[in-house]
Structure formats: structure tokens, C-alpha cells
Amino acid sequence: MRKSEHIRICLEEDVSFKKTNGFEKYELIHEALPEVNLSEIDLSCTVLGKNFAAPVFIEAMTGGVAEARRINENLSGAAEQCGIGMGLGSQRVMMLNAALTDTYRIRHTAPTIFLAGNIGASQLKEFGADQLKRAMETVEADALAIHLNAAQELCQPEGDTGWANIWAAIERVCRQVEFPVIVKETGCGLSAATAKKLENAGVACIDTGGAGGTSWAKVEQYRGSKKAGLFLEWGIPTADSLSDCIKAVNIPVIASGGIRNGMEMVKALAMGAAMVGMAMPFLRPATISMSAVAERIEAVKKEIKATMFLIGAKRIADIDMAKIRCIMPCP
């Protein structure tokens, strides 16, 4: 019921932060002599040993309910067609009820993409490494994403606020599994200190999941939460979180949280992100068809290419700090 409500609310209600993702503080530097042909710009990149046609990642959204199967199949099929990766929604319900497993199985539509499985950090006290391994094997995932959603859990009427010893649990998982572990926030951002702690735990990649996009406190308020009101704007804006994390760690950082177009993606890449994630822009197309999602992905790729043309970058590796400047007070 909760997962169905989340999908409905995100599609029907205004659940966005009022504050921005922070990328307006940064400006890409125009190159009057780009010295590249737009038609020859190459978006391909390699992250965590996997090749991507573009540095775009479909962030985790759903699973465990009937409508989730169609959404995940449309997302994954489009990801396969466009050569990008995606994440599954939390697999906890699947691990508790095997009958729901098919809502997460997408390899028949996406045999080659980078696929991240998913479990909530607070659920690590429920499941051991062997159970997590089986869950990843069942969906044929390439990596496990552990999501941090303390603010959402706090606001949920049925939320889990027992978050002591979570870091130790993450460290244990990293030590006991063979696949890469990604740790992601879900809309409140990662601080430099937290990013460093995660790197020290053995995490292979972090995902900022910053503020500026969907506020899960607002989602829970629409579900009737009495606790959410104080925290509707809680969180570190994505650009600030990204800047802090890039300075703090030496592992790949995925920038996500309210990023809505290719220009913002290029800004994130220039600041040091290895890849850029989006969820909400793909949700509504995913309720329509696979081709609708693919069309949205291709539109973003065109925006990335157009922006790269105007900063004189032929390859993703050419996008660096020399291509961007801060025009407002920045971290």
C-alpha cells in the first residue's frame, strides 16, 4: 500500500523542494572557439568497470507492487536501448515475500545494462550478507545500493528510527560481499564527513541524493504524517553536497537530487561527478511506455551534447573544473 501511495503522490501532487538544487551558483564557461564538431561529441564513459553510452543513471524508484513491474520494465528497456544504467527500488518487500520478486526482475528487457539492487540502511539489521547476496543474484544485479533515508523514516507514520550502528552494518556488508556497494541518500544529501566515513567503510561509490528535487517529507505529509511539517525543506542542496563529497573522497560520486536537464548534468560532471542520476523526470514516461522513457533519455543526451559543444568538450573526460566557475557564494 505504501509503495502504491508513493507512486500516486509523486505523480499527482507537488512534492518538490521550494529551495533549489544549488546549481544556479555555478556557470559553465562559454567557449567561443569550441574546436569540436557537434556530431562527433562522445558521451561514453566507464564507471565501476562498466561502460555506459552516456553518464546518465536512472535512480531507484519502485518495486513490490503490480504497477511497479510495468514501470521497471519500461525503465530498464529504455536504459538498454539508450546504453545507460538504472537502480531498482528497495527490495525489502521482495525479500520478505518471494511472490513479489517479478516486480523487480528486468533482465529480460535489459540483459546488458548496469543494474543496482537496493536495500534500506535501516534494514541491514534484518538481513545478513548471505540474504543480500541471494537478493542480488535473483535480480542479476551488478551492485547493491544501500539507501539512507533517515528523514523519510522519521516522517513516516510507520517509519524506523532505530539507526544506531548503521555505519558498522554497512562496513560489514562491504567486507562480506563480492559486488560493489553504492550508498545513496534519498533527497537530503551527503556531507563531506559522512562521505569520508562511507569511503572508509569500503563503499565503492556514493550517490549524493541531495535536496532540490523530491522532498520525501512532503510525500509523507501527503500520506498524513503529522511529523513531516518541520522537515519539508530539510537537506543539503545537491550542488553543495557534490562539492563537499568530491573534496572528501577518492571514489566515484554520482550526482543526483533535483537535476532536471543536460546543462545541470554537465555542471555536475565539471564539478567532478562520475555520473548523474535522475528519477522524477523518468517516472511519468515510465507509466506510459518504454519508448516514452527512451525519448526522454535521448532528449537529455542531446542537451548534454549541446552543452558540451558550447564549452568545447569532445569527450566526457574533457569536462573538468576548468569549464566551470562559481558566480555566487559557494562551499
Side-chain angles (χ1 to χ4, degrees), residues 260-292:
R260 296 293 181 257
N261 58 62
M263 185 182 294
E264 289 185 336
M265 287 187 160
V266 174
K267 287 183 179 182
L269 295 168
M271 292 170 65
M275 199 154 46
V276 185
M278 296 200 310
M280 185 66 86
F282 299 130
L283 176 58
R284 189 171 298 280
T287 66
I288 300 171
S289 67
M290 190 181 299
S291 60

Side-chain angles (χ1 to χ4, degrees), residues 49-290:
K50 188 80 171 183
N51 296 325
F52 297 81
V56 180
F57 188 74
I58 300 175
E59 293 283 340
M61 287 186 235
T62 190
V65 288
E67 60 263 46
R69 178 173 184 172
R70 179 168 57 92
I71 289 171
N72 282 332
E73 286 180 342
N74 288 338
L75 291 170
S76 59
E80 180 76 22
Q81 181 180 327
C82 300
I84 66 171
M86 71 167 281
L88 294 169
S90 173
Q91 292 173 254
R92 178 175 182 262
V93 292
M94 177 196 103
M95 295 171 73
L96 294 174
N97 183 356
L100 299 172
T101 299
D102 280 350
T103 66
Y104 297 89
R105 282 198 173 112
I106 55 85
R107 280 301 187 191
H108 60 289
T109 58
T112 70
I113 68 166
F114 179 86
L115 177 67
N118 191 331
I119 193 70
S122 61
Q123 275 94 59
L124 294 180
K125 57 196 172 191
E126 292 181 59
F127 305 112
D130 288 342
Q131 291 169 292
L132 294 172
K133 288 177 185 178
R134 285 195 297 273
M136 297 308 104
E137 289 168 0
T138 299
V139 297
E140 300 177 66
D142 299 292
L144 167 65
I146 298 174
H147 67 264
L148 308 178
N149 66 334
Q152 182 186 12
E153 295 284 358
L154 176 68
C155 294
Q156 276 184 357
E158 65 277 75
D160 182 352
T161 54
W163 278 64
N165 303 314
I166 295 294
W167 181 86
I170 292 172
E171 183 186 37
R172 184 170 60 252
V173 170
C174 291
R175 192 171 60 246
Q176 294 178 347
V177 301
E178 299 78 30
F179 41 77
V181 174
I182 302 167
V183 173
K184 65 187 300 297
E185 238 292 345
T186 55
C188 294
L190 296 172
S191 68
T194 298
K196 191 63 182 176
K197 283 180 66 175
L198 292 170
E199 181 182 36
N200 290 340
V203 170
C205 175
I206 57 174
D207 185 329
T208 60
T214 299
S215 164
W216 284 96
K218 287 189 178 182
V219 173
E220 296 304 334
Q221 187 178 57
Y222 278 111
R223 292 187 63 235
S225 170
K226 306 290 189 204
K227 301 178 283 185
L230 187 61
F231 301 102
L232 300 182
E233 296 295 313
W234 182 267
I236 307 167
T238 300
D240 295 343
S241 177
L242 174 61
S243 177
D244 289 347
C245 289
I246 290 295
K247 295 170 187 173
V249 301
N250 294 303
I251 55 176
V253 178
I254 300 172
S256 71
I259 295 173
R260 296 293 181 257
N261 58 62
M263 185 182 294
E264 289 185 336
M265 287 187 160
V266 174
K267 287 183 179 182
L269 295 168
M271 292 170 65
M275 199 154 46
V276 185
M278 296 200 310
M280 185 66 86
F282 299 130
L283 176 58
R284 189 171 298 280
T287 66
I288 300 171
S289 67
M290 190 181 299

